[in-house]
Amino acid sequence: MLFVLLLLHAVCGTAVLIAGRRLGRGAWLVGAVAPAAVVVWLVANSGRVVGGSGVSSRAEWVSALGLALDLRVDPFAALMIVLVSGIGVLMYAYAWY
């Protein structure tokens, strides 16, 4: 799920860049989807994250070379996610006004 959230940021950012003028003031809503989804995901998984076990995902990249991409959300990472995503959503809300 962590990789899906990363991909969602890329898709939303690209959509705002490509269709921003056509969307007009609605572009803020498209841009705010990804940070809001991260905050919702974090609230839904807060028991596992804060409980100390954390949440992790692993994606094999080049298995022949043993290369993989590991993502982990622990309590400190959760704090940073709340700060960055929360400020991101607030920036989009401010831009709407």
Side-chain angles (χ1 to χ4, degrees), residues 47-62:
R48 291 191 309 167
V49 172
V50 177
S53 62
V55 176
S56 61
S57 277
R58 180 180 180 93
E60 294 291 330
W61 186 26
V62 182

Side-chain angles (χ1 to χ4, degrees), residues 69-91:
L69 181 62
D70 294 315
L71 298 176
R72 178 172 168 75
V73 178
D74 55 10
F76 181 70
L79 174 67
M80 296 307 295
I81 287 170
V82 168
L83 285 173
V84 171
S85 295
I87 291 171
V89 170
L90 290 174
M91 286 174 42

Side-chain angles (χ1 to χ4, degrees), residues 15-33:
V16 168
L17 286 174
I18 291 173
R21 289 190 181 174
R22 282 180 277 174
L23 292 173
R25 287 184 57 165
W28 76 271
L29 185 60
V30 174
V33 167

